[in-house]
Each structure stands twice: as C-alpha cells, then as structure tokens.
C-alpha cells in the first residue's frame, strides 16, 4: 500500500485548486485521482465564456479557466492519475482505486479531499408520462455531444428546466442552427443566474414558461412532440396544455452531489444539499476527510468552487502536519431558517476558524427588497438589505473571529430572510 499525505478524489476545478493550495501550504506528497481521460472536469465541455471574473479578473472560457490550474499542477509537479476510478474510501482514509495499467491499487492517505463534483438528475426521477424514445438527453450530455464530440442531438428542441446548463444549451443549440421552441420551468422562478436568462434566452427570443412542466412525450422510435402544461399546487392544470412538435427534449432539472464514496467512508450528509456536513475547515464528521466544490453543495460560479477548494487544501495540509489548534470545545451551530435553506459550513469552532470566515447559503424563494439578518442567539447583529435574492444565486455572509470572541457563551448563529 502506497502512502500519500493527501489524496484528492477528482481532478476538476475543486480538486486542482485544493492540490495547489495544499502544495503552497508545504505538502509535497499529493496524489490526484481522476476517472476521466484528462484533468479539468466539467469545465472542458463548457466552451462559453463568463468564467474567472472573480479569480483572474478577466473573462475566460471553461477550458481556459481549467488550464490555468492545470498549468500550476504541472509546474508544481503534483502527481495525478487519469482514467482511475476510486472504488472505496474507508474511515481510516484507505483509498481503493482501479485503472487499466495497475489494476486495483490501495493508498493510505494522511488526509482525503473529496472533490467528485455533481451529476444531473435523470428522467427516471421525474415521472414524465410517455414512451422512452430516442432524443431525450440531459442538458450536460447534450453539451458534451455538441462541444466535445461534434454531434448535434437534434434540430427542434424543447428544454425542461431552467438551470444554468439548460439556459446555456438553449443558446448553444440556437447558435448551432437548431430551433429552441420553449424552456419550461416547474418552479415559479428560474433556477439559473439572471445573466444567463438575459444572455441565453432573452437575447435570442426564446420563451421561458414558468410554473410549467412536461405532461406528455409523443413518439416511439424518436421524440415527435412534447406537451407542456401549467402547474398549480404541484399538479398540471387541465386545459392549459401546449403541444410543441420537436425531435429533442433536453432535461435540466437539477444537480446532485456525487456522494456514494462519501457514504462508504461514513461521512454524514445534509438532507438539504445532499452533500457532506462540514465545519469551518471544510472537514466532515470523519477526521481527516475534507470536502469542497460541487460534491459539497452545488455552486453557481466556479470562482467560488476554487476559493472553497483552496480552503480545503490548506485545512487538509494543517491536519497532516498536526498543527490544527486544540479546540476549547466552543463550537457554534449555524442555522438557516425563515427563507434561508442551508449554510456551508454548519458549525464553527472559534479557536480554529480564520480571522474572516465566508459562510455561503441559498434562499428558498425569490425575495425582493428584503434583508439578510444574522442573529447571535437572540440578538440581531447583521441586517443587510438586498434588492433581490433568488434560489439560483448563492448568498454569503462573513463572520469575524474578533467579533465572535466577544460572545463567549454563544451557542447558535441563525441566518434569516426578513422583510423589515
């Protein structure tokens, strides 16, 4: 069994940034395990621009953004293995992996960083009636076919779901000569970034129908038509059906963190994010196992993934060196309620936290002219007005170590969305 100080599962933007951060923190023995044929993860198929504005202060495409980190991994001579599937992780950080060259191999890790990303929710989770003809794709699969394989999935397209990938594919298919007839969204609000709604739908005259879903798919060999209908109280409204002839249906109906490996390692998962429950160091309930990126919670911007991964890499390095401060036991619970859905992290140890700690969360609905309020137990200490907040965009607050030290008996920090 080979020993590495840090084993990183996943060579996408989170895994790359975590590896570089760990190296800069003084760790020499690092291994990245990636199941694909190249580093970069999902960014390799995201050929549109809009990446890197926060991290590099310039607009990059997905592959350009990924390559900035790949170059650093190569420069730092960080070891990585491609086409290597991790099969199991144990609580004592033994990583079992498999590839064509070596067969099954095992690594003992001083620390493990989970950076497996997320996957798309499939049709089977939707209960859409109709046959199972050709022409139904997840939006990410269609994106790979068009951008990397050079295939067009179809010419007349209906898209279900207004997540960012669905919005971007509406534009991409249009630019490739397809006719995108409609984007239907079950919720009364879009799940994507506002800028994507404007740039991908409005600029191309593609209609977005909120509170609508697919109620029928016609065609046995190939999709021939799709019927959508308005939804109220979770049920289609009779008489509101609209039929679109098409040969392709793209599904952009949500992303799920890839946490099968996390479960096998005994990592506690959040019922809301489906990602690990972590503390201020992005460490899970299993000592020495850290998580970052979309495996932790689904992000809207890759810049935030990189920022989070850097913290995970530095924290894992501290764990390996054994220089994480002893806790005095002063652990504060972070609670999201009344419009806020979850927080990452979920606990904060004041002795171990950095001087400034970013806490990210999402809201449960669209809120206009509302406040993000933060309570230390029952005392409101933050009350920031936001013109608009939507579930598709992450929000954040900054906790100050110096401020928390003024509340020695603090038990709970609560985030609420308030009207006044």
């Amino acid at each position: 069994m080979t020993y590495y100080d840090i084993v990183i599962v996943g060579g996408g933007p989170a895994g790359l940034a975590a590896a570089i951060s760990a190296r800069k923190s003084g760790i020499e023995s690092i291994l990245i395990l990636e199941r694909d044929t190249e580093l970069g993860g999902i960014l390799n198929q995201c050929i549109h621009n809009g990446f890197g504005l926060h991290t590099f202060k310039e607009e990059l495409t997905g592959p350009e953004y990924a390559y900035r980190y790949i170059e650093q991994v190569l420069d730092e001579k960080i070891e990585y293995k491609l086409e290597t599937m991790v099969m199991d992780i144990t609580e004592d950080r033994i990583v079992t992996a498999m590839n064509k060259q070596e067969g099954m191999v095992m690594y003992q890790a001083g620390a493990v960083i989970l950076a497996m990303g997320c996957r798309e929710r499939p049709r089977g989770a939707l209960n859409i009636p109709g046959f199972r003809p050709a022409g139904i794709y997840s939006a990410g699969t269609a994106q790979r076919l068009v951008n990397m394989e050079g295939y067009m999935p179809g010419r007349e397209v209906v898209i279900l779901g207004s997540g960012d990938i669905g919005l971007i594919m509406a534009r991409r298919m249009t630019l490739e000569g397809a006719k995108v007839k409609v984007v239907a969204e079950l919720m009364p609000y879009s799940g994507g970034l506002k800028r994507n709604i404007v740039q991908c739908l409005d600029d191309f005259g593609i209609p977005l129908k909120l509170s609508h879903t697919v109620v029928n798919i016609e065609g046995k060999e190939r999709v021939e038509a799709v019927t959508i209908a308005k939804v109220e109280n979770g049920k289609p409204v009779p008489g509101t059906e609209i039929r679109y002839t098409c040969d392709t249906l793209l599904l952009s109906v949500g992303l799920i963190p890839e946490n099968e490996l996390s479960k096998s390692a005994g990592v506690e998962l959040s019922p809301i994010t489906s990602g690990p429950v972590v503390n201020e160091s992005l460490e899970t309930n299993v000592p020495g196992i850290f998580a970052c990126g979309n495996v932790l919670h689904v992000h809207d911007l890759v810049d935030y993934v990189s920022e989070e991964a850097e913290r995970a890499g530095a924290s894992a390095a501290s764990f390996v060196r054994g220089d994480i401060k002893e806790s005095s036991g002063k652990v504060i619970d972070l609670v999201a309620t009344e419009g806020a859905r979850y927080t990452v992290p979920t606990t904060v140890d004041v002795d171990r936290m950095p001087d400034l700690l970013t806490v990210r969360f999402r809201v449960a609905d669209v809120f206009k002219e509302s406040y993000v309020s933060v309570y230390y137990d029952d005392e409101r200490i933050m009350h920031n007005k936001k013109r608009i907040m939507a579930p598709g965009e992450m929000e954040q607050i900054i906790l100050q170590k110096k401020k928390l030290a003024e509340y020695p008996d603090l038990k709970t920090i609560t985030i609420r969305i308030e009207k006044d």
Side-chain angles (χ1 to χ4, degrees):
M1 191 183 301
T2 312
Y3 176 85
Y4 285 90
D5 284 337
I6 296 177
V7 173
I8 299 170
V9 185
L16 296 171
I20 293 158
S21 175
R23 174 58 56 86
K24 288 178 178 175
S25 300
I27 302 299
E28 291 297 319
S29 172
I30 302 170
L31 176 65
I32 302 171
L33 298 174
E34 169 56 49
R35 67 185 178 187
D36 209 343
T37 55
E38 55 210 350
L39 295 173
I42 200 69
L43 289 180
N44 290 323
Q45 68 185 51
C46 300
I47 65 172
H48 53 280
N49 59 7
F51 300 92
L53 290 168
H54 295 263
T55 307
F56 298 109
K57 308 300 185 228
E58 60 179 307
E59 200 169 41
L60 304 170
T61 65
E64 287 173 328
Y65 186 96
Y67 195 66
R68 295 282 176 99
Y69 281 95
I70 292 169
E71 276 189 311
Q72 293 180 63
V73 165
L74 297 175
D75 290 344
E76 294 286 348
K77 296 181 170 54
I78 295 171
E79 191 176 344
Y80 62 90
K81 291 181 187 290
L82 302 176
E83 298 183 82
T84 300
M85 176 72 80
V86 175
M87 311 301 291
D88 185 54
I89 303 170
T90 66
E91 291 189 30
D92 50 358
R93 303 185 296 282
I94 295 173
V95 180
T96 304
M98 185 182 289
N99 61 38
K100 288 186 289 189
Q101 289 74 32
E102 302 166 298
M104 189 169 282
V105 286
M106 299 175 79
Y107 305 102
Q108 174 66 64
V112 173
I113 299 177
L114 306 173
M116 294 90 73
C118 59
R119 65 173 183 266
E120 293 179 277
R121 188 174 279 114
R123 177 192 171 171
L126 303 179
N127 295 323
I128 298 174
F131 295 101
R132 300 181 67 84
I136 302 175
Y137 301 88
S138 67
T141 300
Q143 186 179 56
R144 184 179 180 92
L145 288 172
V146 175
N147 293 348
M148 297 184 74
E149 312 293 343
Y151 294 113
M152 271 296 279
R155 291 291 170 185
E156 292 187 304
V157 184
V158 170
I159 299 177
L160 175 61
S162 61
D164 287 314
I165 308 173
L167 298 174
I168 286 161
M169 282 311 293
R171 176 179 62 184
R172 189 76 186 95
M173 295 294 283
T174 302
L175 292 172
E176 286 296 329
K179 172 66 176 173
V180 179
K181 297 197 167 181
V182 69
V183 176
E185 169 58 56
L186 177 66
M187 304 303 289
Y189 50 79
S190 171
L193 294 169
K194 179 67 176 174
R195 74 178 190 206
N196 283 336
I197 297 170
V198 173
Q199 294 173 2
C200 300
L201 299 188
D202 297 351
D203 289 356
F204 293 90
I206 299 169
L208 171 62
K209 290 194 174 292
L210 300 174
S211 300
H212 279 73
T213 193
V214 171
V215 294
N216 192 32
I217 299 171
E218 297 175 38
K220 288 190 177 181
E221 298 302 317
R222 174 87 192 193
V223 174
E224 295 172 3
V226 167
T227 302
I228 69 170
K230 189 172 178 61
V231 175
E232 288 181 3
N233 301 319
K235 293 184 179 179
V237 179
T240 62
E241 294 87 357
I242 309 171
R243 182 177 180 272
Y244 296 91
T245 57
C246 61
D247 59 17
T248 304
L249 173 64
L250 300 187
L251 304 176
S252 176
V253 289
L255 300 167
I256 308 166
E258 283 270 23
N259 272 300
E260 282 66 31
L261 286 171
S262 311
K263 288 177 195 170
S264 73
V267 169
E268 180 188 352
L269 301 182
S270 161
I272 298 168
T273 64
S274 299
V277 173
V278 294
N279 63 17
E280 72 290 332
S281 302
L282 300 181
E283 187 178 23
T284 68
N285 61 301
V286 181
I289 297 184
F290 299 79
C292 58
N294 283 350
V295 81
L296 178 55
H297 60 132
V298 176
H299 291 62
D300 50 358
L301 298 179
V302 72
D303 304 77
Y304 294 156
V305 168
S306 301
E307 182 185 315
E308 192 175 84
E310 286 168 11
R311 182 149 50 107
S315 299
S318 296
F319 180 87
V320 169
R321 290 196 304 266
D323 59 9
I324 289 182
K325 290 181 184 175
E326 280 294 315
S327 173
S328 63
K330 185 184 172 186
V331 177
I332 301 166
D333 290 325
L334 280 162
V335 176
T337 185
E338 294 177 34
R341 290 190 65 227
Y342 68 86
T343 66
V344 172
T346 54
T347 59
V348 175
D349 187 318
V350 178
D351 294 322
R352 294 180 174 184
M353 71 178 282
D355 293 334
L356 297 174
L357 178 68
T358 300
V359 177
R360 294 204 164 95
F361 65 96
R362 285 187 191 264
V363 294
D365 205 341
V366 175
F367 293 92
K368 296 180 180 178
E369 305 296 341
S370 299
Y371 294 84
V372 175
S373 298
V374 178
Y375 288 80
Y376 284 8
D377 287 335
D378 295 323
E379 181 186 349
R380 189 167 74 185
I381 56 95
M382 200 181 299
H383 192 55
N384 297 336
K385 189 168 188 179
K386 299 275 291 188
R387 192 175 65 81
I388 188 163
M389 291 177 278
E393 304 195 28
M394 284 202 311
E395 303 290 337
Q396 65 182 42
I397 60 166
I398 307 293
L399 296 181
Q400 300 178 9
K401 184 172 186 171
K402 185 171 67 175
K403 181 82 172 172
L404 288 176
E406 297 172 8
Y407 294 79
D409 299 321
L410 181 61
K411 298 284 190 294
T412 306
I413 297 173
T414 305
I415 299 174
R416 293 191 178 106
I417 310 303
E418 298 179 326
K419 273 295 180 189
D420 50 51

